[in-house]
Amino acid sequence: MRWVWMWAALVAPFAAVAQTAQGNEAGAATCLEQAVVLPDPAECLRSYRREPDGDMLATLTALYERSVELQNKGEFAAAAAVLDCAESAAGAHPAAAIEHELLRRRGVLDYRRECPAQALEKFKRALKLAERNEDRPAQSKTWNNIGSALRRLGDYRGALQALMTSLELQRGLPQAEAGKTLNNIADIYRDLGENANAIRHYDQARAEFLRDGNKAEAGHVLSSLGVLALNNGELQRGESLLTQARDELVQAGDKKYLMRTYSELGRAAIERGDVAAAKRWTDSGLAIAAQDAKTIVPAPLQLQAARGDRLRGQARAAQQRMSQALNALAVQDSDRPDLLAELARDFEALGEWPQAMAALRESEDAARALREARYDREMKWMQLRFETAERDRTIAALATQNQVRALSLKQRTLALWLTVVSALAALLGLTVFFLRRQHRARVAEAARQARLAEEVDYYRRAAAELGVDRARLQAALDSRDDAVLVLDAGGQVLAANRSAGELLQPSQAAPLAGRAFGELLDEPDALRFAQALEHLDESSAPQGFDFRLGAQAEPLRAQLSESGQGEGLIVLGLKSSAAHDAATTAGENAGADPLGVEAPAMADEELRLSFRRALVELMLAVVEAWERSTGQGRLELAEKSRIWRVTVDDGRLRARAMERYLSLSKLPRQPRWRDVLRSGYYVLAECALEEPVRDELQRHVDAVLAYTRRHALV
């Protein structure tokens, strides 16, 4: 059976979710306050066999007793209808004592319906009526009710204070009922585990009941002492106290307490292993219920009787007894989990495992529902207490203000206006706070945009500074006798000396700068020029080709080479074919820059490799930032930046020169590092980048700049 219990304990939380939620919702629904429509007094009194013109107090007392009977049977709706009839019979303006008792009785009904928070609210209203009428007995009785409600809500400290207040009010009263209050205090100490205090107050309560001649309540207190002893493991003492309580309750003729005492005697006998004695005790209790069909057998008595049947080998009888008891028990009854657990043991003894597991799961569900209901009550009480404290604080503050200002209408209006003004001031303060917050955000955004604009302007200036100084180029070319042109990566003429101008267009005065060199050539020669540019992109070796300017012109030899300064410039030297045959291209270009300036180089090979690696990393970061910010590819970057030449390869566009800078193995021997930097500045200036991406790209730019500045490349 152990595996059954373990398995059920594992699956019970999942199987009970829906049922527990429905039970909680149903319990919450029963506690909702509903509008009361009072019936016609004459009709409702006749239905309860009372005469409308009889003694009002006797009529109300009879209706109260009828309501209590219905509550004991669990018929709370019918009990509420009886109280509605009593209120209707009392009239629209009942006496203060009657109004107090009606309200208190409705609180007791809520308490019995497991709605202690609603009961507490009615008890407090009833207490105010009693205090207004200076009715000390009514105040004491109501404080006792308040203590019981607070105990049910888990507020033991408040419950003790309320019960102590009830005791204080009873001092000096001719008909004090201190026994019930002391018994309630003892129950609280028992719940808190303070057994010594519980026993002391039980003894005091018993003495009060005996002094008042209430033998039934005195026997009930003695029975409570016996149960406390059993719970502490004192079987002999507990059984002795319960036996004495049984004798007193028999003399008093109280069947309700007597049947519960028999059930505890049966439990004591079972715990000491005397099953026969347990049967005698439980049979005695059941015999009392059999004498009157209206008597309800307590669930604990049914439980002990079933336990005895099972221990004697009569598991089927025990199972049937538990099933009948559960059918008659309310869903929210606190004894339901124990009865279901016993039913599971009965099914286990019969070998009916599925029924045993189902009963065990239902027992766990019922216990969980009770725990959650208790938790909900305590949480609602905490919420109510907080709201009440806040309300009392507000009322106290308003009362103090009203007392200081003589409670005049004008001053109350002033207090109201002060409240409104305070609310408006708070609202204004919040508005100012949020406006200032938004203003600071706008200022910060404006500052960020200004910094961004400043950075963009800086990047554009930096890109421009990396561009070609045409005046410097022109001056450098004019100092040479041979025909030389300087082109950009796209083949556009940036500068040309006088010799080149006379050779290419002797009869025209228009300058060559700003024109595409391919426009000066016919279609076949322009194609050879484009192929030479492509080969120059793929290899740093000079590229040459022959061309004619017109059909009768002398053939010219053009030689393309990189400037050697990392500027992305192409030097185009022109010679006649005869002059070209007289000298070799390699001898003319070895060891010197075509522009006449030696290219600086890094002395350390390791530093040179690091610089090349930094260039590749920068170019990769540029392409990645461009693609992430624009959603476009590297070809669009080459076209829009006008830094890298776009060519046609097998019918599709490619940026071969830029692609060589995306791999360290393909990087040219003399890389156009200025074009790489210009590409970085272009993306930084023209693209809306996220802060991490911008910072990463700027880091790569700074790394390349560090190399260039260190080795005087700029």
Side-chain angles (χ1 to χ4, degrees):
M1 184 59 183
R2 179 177 299 175
W3 68 270
V4 176
W5 293 89
M6 293 175 62
W7 182 84
L10 288 173
V11 303
F14 303 98
V17 171
Q19 180 177 353
T20 302
Q22 293 174 359
N24 291 344
E25 291 177 0
T30 59
C31 293
L32 293 177
E33 295 289 344
Q34 299 179 355
V36 177
V37 180
L38 297 180
D40 181 73
E43 293 181 2
C44 72
L45 288 176
R46 279 194 295 270
S47 64
Y48 295 116
R49 299 180 181 179
R50 303 296 304 181
E51 293 298 330
D53 55 351
D55 185 2
M56 178 58 65
L57 291 179
T59 298
L60 293 178
T61 301
L63 291 175
Y64 294 155
E65 293 175 354
R66 176 60 178 166
S67 177
V68 171
E69 292 176 3
L70 293 171
Q71 292 176 38
N72 292 334
K73 295 179 181 180
E75 301 176 8
F76 299 120
V82 175
L83 291 180
D84 292 343
C85 182
E87 184 175 350
S88 179
H93 303 285
I98 294 177
E99 183 180 5
H100 165 269
E101 187 63 18
L102 281 170
L103 188 56
R104 193 187 71 83
R105 292 277 181 175
R106 289 193 181 275
V108 172
L109 176 60
D110 285 339
Y111 180 84
R112 295 291 300 274
R113 288 192 305 145
E114 298 295 335
C115 301
Q118 288 73 13
L120 181 63
E121 190 270 336
K122 291 182 176 62
F123 290 149
K124 288 186 175 181
R125 286 164 51 195
L127 178 63
K128 290 182 179 179
L129 292 174
E131 290 175 345
R132 186 189 308 162
N133 299 320
E134 299 182 355
D135 189 343
R136 289 187 62 185
Q139 293 179 42
S140 174
K141 185 183 295 184
T142 308
W143 273 115
N144 187 51
N145 296 141
I146 290 174
S148 299
L150 290 174
R151 176 195 171 198
R152 184 66 60 87
L153 290 169
D155 186 359
Y156 292 107
R157 179 180 179 182
L160 282 174
Q161 291 177 347
L163 294 173
M164 291 299 181
T165 304
S166 177
L167 282 178
E168 288 293 331
L169 289 170
Q170 291 179 31
R171 290 179 180 176
L173 293 178
Q175 295 180 348
E177 297 180 356
K180 293 182 179 180
T181 305
L182 289 168
N183 188 73
N184 289 337
I185 294 174
D187 290 339
I188 291 177
Y189 281 122
R190 182 188 62 189
D191 293 344
L192 294 174
E194 300 182 14
N195 294 332
N197 282 331
I199 293 173
R200 178 165 59 86
H201 284 87
Y202 277 136
D203 290 339
Q204 295 177 9
R206 176 172 167 78
E208 289 291 332
F209 286 132
L210 291 175
R211 182 178 62 81
D212 297 337
N214 193 340
K215 295 182 179 181
E217 291 294 340
H220 174 57
V221 173
L222 197 60
S223 178
S224 299
L225 286 168
V227 172
L228 184 60
L230 288 181
N231 294 337
N232 292 333
E234 303 174 9
L235 292 179
Q236 184 176 359
R237 181 173 179 272
E239 196 166 11
S240 175
L241 291 172
L242 289 169
T243 303
Q244 183 181 351
R246 187 279 312 262
D247 296 339
E248 292 185 4
L249 291 172
V250 168
Q251 293 179 3
D254 189 294
K255 297 180 181 180
K256 177 182 175 182
Y257 291 150
L258 183 57
M259 286 189 291
R260 291 187 176 272
T261 302
Y262 276 127
S263 69
E264 295 298 333
L265 285 169
R267 176 166 76 98
I270 290 174
E271 289 182 1
R272 61 182 173 83
D274 192 347
V275 181
K279 178 174 175 54
R280 289 195 301 271
W281 291 125
T282 56
D283 287 348
S284 298
L286 294 173
I288 295 174
Q291 296 174 2
D292 187 359
K294 297 182 179 180
T295 303
I296 300 176
V297 181
L301 180 58
Q302 295 276 37
L303 175 63
Q304 301 306 326
R307 290 180 63 189
D309 291 341
R310 177 172 52 81
L311 293 174
R312 290 192 306 273
Q314 301 175 4
R316 180 60 67 185
Q319 177 262 318
Q320 293 175 354
R321 182 184 299 278
M322 284 294 90
S323 298
Q324 294 174 0
L326 286 168
N327 290 335
L329 204 63
V331 176
Q332 298 296 328
D333 196 288
S334 59
D335 293 320
R336 191 174 184 82
D338 293 337
L339 267 63
L340 287 168
E342 176 59 32
L343 180 61
R345 296 187 186 94
D346 297 338
F347 280 124
E348 175 193 2
L350 293 170
E352 299 176 0
W353 306 109
Q355 293 86 339
M357 287 188 291
L360 184 59
R361 285 196 298 269
E362 192 174 355
S363 174
E364 292 293 330
D365 295 346
R368 184 180 299 103
L370 289 175
R371 290 194 301 270
E372 292 183 355
R374 178 179 178 182
Y375 175 78
D376 290 342
R377 289 196 303 267
E378 293 178 356
M379 289 300 296
K380 289 179 181 178
W381 163 237
M382 291 176 64
Q383 180 182 1
L384 179 63
R385 186 168 58 179
F386 174 77
E387 292 175 353
T388 303
E390 287 296 310
R391 184 184 61 191
D392 292 344
R393 183 185 63 81
T394 304
I395 292 175
L398 292 175
T400 302
Q401 293 177 2
N402 292 339
Q403 289 176 1
V404 172
R405 297 169 186 176
L407 298 177
S408 65
L409 179 60
K410 179 178 178 180
Q411 292 165 344
R412 287 199 300 270
T413 305
L414 179 60
L416 179 61
W417 275 108
L418 286 174
T419 304
V420 173
V421 170
S422 299
L424 291 175
L427 180 60
L428 180 60
L430 289 174
T431 304
V432 171
F433 170 76
F434 284 113
L435 288 177
R436 291 185 62 186
R437 184 176 178 181
Q438 292 178 356
H439 176 69
R440 287 195 297 269
R442 286 196 297 268
V443 170
E445 179 63 20
R448 191 184 71 83
Q449 292 293 340
R451 288 195 302 272
L452 182 60
E454 184 179 353
E455 290 177 359
V456 168
D457 184 62
Y458 165 76
Y459 295 139
R460 288 174 177 168
R461 289 197 312 270
E465 291 174 359
L466 287 175
V468 179
D469 188 345
R470 302 198 180 197
R472 180 176 64 85
L473 286 177
Q474 192 64 49
L477 295 181
D478 287 341
S479 64
R480 299 181 56 162
D481 296 331
D482 53 340
V484 180
L485 297 90
V486 177
L487 313 179
D488 63 9
Q492 187 177 20
V493 178
L494 299 178
N497 63 1
R498 183 179 304 171
S499 300
E502 293 175 352
L503 189 61
L504 291 175
Q505 47 182 19
S507 62
Q508 298 182 18
L512 291 173
R515 300 180 61 186
F517 184 75
E519 295 177 357
L520 303 175
L521 309 177
D522 56 15
E523 185 174 351
D525 292 339
L527 179 59
R528 285 193 294 272
F529 170 64
Q531 292 174 349
L533 285 178
E534 292 182 13
H535 294 157
L536 188 64
D537 285 340
E538 297 175 357
S539 174
S540 59
Q543 303 294 322
F545 69 95
D546 295 331
F547 67 95
R548 289 177 181 272
L549 293 176
Q552 304 300 325
E554 180 183 359
L556 296 177
R557 179 68 178 181
Q559 181 167 307
L560 300 175
S561 62
E562 293 182 349
S563 68
Q565 298 298 310
E567 298 173 334
L569 302 180
I570 299 173
V571 179
L572 190 150
L574 297 175
K575 284 182 173 51
S576 65
S577 296
H580 174 71
D581 293 338
T584 62
T585 304
E588 294 175 354
N589 293 280
D593 179 15
L595 296 181
V597 181
E598 292 292 334
M602 297 184 183
D604 192 344
E605 180 64 22
E606 183 177 353
L607 286 178
R608 189 181 71 84
L609 291 176
S610 299
F611 174 62
R612 293 168 64 84
R613 188 178 298 108
L615 283 177
V616 174
E617 292 175 352
L618 172 57
M619 198 64 212
L620 289 171
V622 167
V623 173
E624 181 182 2
W626 169 267
E627 292 176 346
R628 290 183 61 178
S629 63
T630 65
Q632 299 176 353
R634 61 188 68 172
L635 187 62
E636 287 79 2
L637 172 61
E639 290 179 343
K640 295 183 178 181
S641 65
R642 303 183 64 85
I643 298 173
W644 305 96
R645 191 163 59 89
V646 178
T647 60
V648 179
D649 187 2
D650 294 334
R652 62 190 183 96
L653 297 177
R654 293 189 61 181
R656 288 180 174 272
M658 184 176 69
E659 291 174 356
R660 295 178 62 191
Y661 288 80
L662 299 176
S663 172
L664 188 62
S665 61
K666 297 180 181 180
L667 189 68
R669 183 176 59 84
Q670 291 186 350
R672 291 154 47 184
W673 56 269
R674 291 177 181 267
D675 287 349
V676 177
L677 277 175
R678 288 173 61 201
S679 300
Y681 288 140
Y682 175 78
V683 172
L684 285 169
E686 305 301 333
C687 297
L689 303 177
E690 298 178 356
E691 288 297 328
V693 178
R694 178 177 292 274
D695 294 341
E696 180 68 13
L697 182 55
Q698 182 63 55
R699 185 178 67 81
H700 287 291
V701 169
D702 293 341
V704 172
L705 285 176
Y707 282 108
T708 60
R709 290 165 181 165
R710 180 175 180 180
H711 299 283
L713 294 178
V714 180

